[in-house]
Amino acid sequence: MSEHILKERDDRVLILTFNRPDKKNAITHEMYTALCDGLDEAAADDHIRVVLIRANGDAFTSGNDLKDFAAGLQDAEKAPVFRFLKTISRFEKPIVVGVQGLAVGIGVTMLLHSDLIYATPEATFSTPFTNLALVPEAGSSYLLPQAIGPAKAAEMLMMGEVLSAEEAEKAGLVARLLPANDFAAAVLAKAHALAAKAPNAILQTKRLLRKNHTVMQDRMMEEGQLFAELLKTPEFMEVATAFFEKRQPDFSKF
Ligand code: COA
């Protein structure tokens, strides 16, 4: 499927694994496309009942690949990242996610479109969009306050504060923390347990849990348009340049 997104079928579970550990699993256009193809395959295959998303290496993902983003999104609506967000936000089968290490940006916002999220006690969660001179994406300005409360969501989305695994579990972003030493096996066991349940009951339950879908989709579109515009600004260029020059961005000139 892709060097950086591994796809495996394990009975009724389709597993998608981020496999770009040397770049903290930063997600490129090509990886978004591979993720979408995997989700589309799972949706079309009656044998598959659950998708498991997980990662190799010490990080879940550092979010969007900043090199790809610095190059801009030509046609925002057709960009692989937006195809991925549309696909995952409308996906009807349950998605289980195993988060070890850091989850940044879309590594957090994709969780809001997933169902059962497990994390190691060392995991951290951050959505530093404003630090990047950008705005929230993936419907997170709508979904994150619902998931963890408006105060914590503002801290994450405006200040770029990091949520610890313990806080994420307490706030309700994560279903459960599982020990790091047996994490992959434990998460896979959860995915299989879910896949063994009555499939129609699970699909209907997921549908019922996804409330206000239309509002969320509208918000996601609004965020996406703004996000794509902001990627073209000198402020974002300064952020991207600073990142690869391994220095702090300097906003004093704006
Ligand atoms: N896009 C592109 N490359 C990235 C990346 C990203 N989002 N995140 C990490 N990398 C690359 C680094 O450039 C570095 O590459 P190099 O070895 O060729 O220099 C490598 O991955 C390792 O990252 P490094 O920064 O050295 O690791 P760290 O442990 O010190 O810090 C992070 C990890 C995730 C905290 C830090 O890399 C970071 O802040 N990344 C950007 C996160 C971000 O803003 N994502 C976008 C959200 S919308």
Side-chain angles (χ1 to χ4, degrees):
M1 131 163 274
S2 145
E3 179 196 351
H4 294 141
I5 297 290
L6 307 179
K7 185 189 73 182
E8 283 165 70
R9 298 165 69 93
D10 189 3
D11 194 10
R12 290 186 174 275
V13 179
L14 187 127
I15 308 171
L16 299 171
T17 307
F18 297 131
N19 187 40
R20 200 186 175 211
D22 56 322
K23 299 288 179 192
K24 304 284 173 192
N25 293 318
I27 310 175
T28 59
H29 294 326
E30 175 253 336
M31 290 165 74
Y32 282 120
T33 300
L35 286 168
C36 285
D37 292 347
L39 289 172
D40 286 347
E41 177 182 327
D45 185 337
D46 287 344
H47 186 72
I48 296 295
R49 292 191 178 164
V50 170
V51 170
L52 167 60
I53 300 178
R54 64 184 185 185
N56 285 337
D58 64 358
F60 177 61
T61 170
S62 59
N64 293 307
D65 185 284
L66 291 173
K67 218 172 239 168
D68 272 7
F69 268 41
L73 301 177
Q74 303 314 330
D75 183 350
E77 282 201 24
K78 288 193 191 135
V81 60
F82 292 122
R83 182 183 157 213
F84 170 68
L85 289 176
K86 253 187 223 162
T87 305
I88 196 170
S89 66
R90 292 172 185 178
F91 195 69
E92 292 176 358
K93 294 181 182 179
I95 300 177
V96 175
V97 187
V99 180
Q100 90 283 8
L102 56 83
V104 184
I106 201 161
V108 174
T109 60
M110 76 167 68
L111 306 179
L112 302 168
H113 300 283
S114 306
D115 301 290
L116 287 169
I117 294 126
Y118 299 100
T120 59
E122 297 75 27
T124 59
F125 303 81
S126 62
T127 48
F129 300 115
T130 54
N131 294 351
L132 300 170
L134 298 172
V135 289
E137 30 102 283
S140 58
S141 65
Y142 180 74
L143 293 173
L144 196 61
Q146 291 184 356
I148 65 172
K152 278 283 169 202
E155 242 198 346
M156 286 186 77
L157 291 174
M158 297 182 91
M159 293 291 281
E161 296 282 0
V162 177
L163 209 65
S164 68
E166 204 179 316
E167 287 173 315
E169 187 195 27
K170 216 179 264 171
L173 181 64
V174 163
R176 196 173 290 274
L177 303 185
L178 299 171
N181 58 3
D182 192 30
F183 188 65
V187 174
L188 184 59
K190 293 282 186 192
H192 280 298
L194 187 60
K197 292 188 181 290
N200 191 41
I202 294 293
L203 288 178
Q204 293 303 335
T205 301
K206 172 157 179 162
R207 189 181 62 76
L208 291 165
L209 283 167
R210 302 270 138 189
K211 285 185 287 181
N212 294 324
H213 199 75
T214 316
V215 181
M216 191 281 297
Q217 290 289 350
D218 288 349
R219 180 70 62 86
M220 196 159 83
M221 286 300 293
E222 185 183 343
E223 289 173 351
Q225 279 159 4
L226 201 49
F227 195 99
E229 278 170 32
L230 291 174
L231 284 176
K232 297 178 201 149
T233 60
E235 283 94 337
F236 177 72
M237 282 306 145
E238 165 61 11
V239 170
T241 307
F243 178 71
F244 291 110
E245 289 177 357
K246 299 194 186 288
R247 61 170 174 82
Q248 287 300 310
D250 173 11
F251 296 118
S252 64
K253 58 190 167 205
F254 299 113

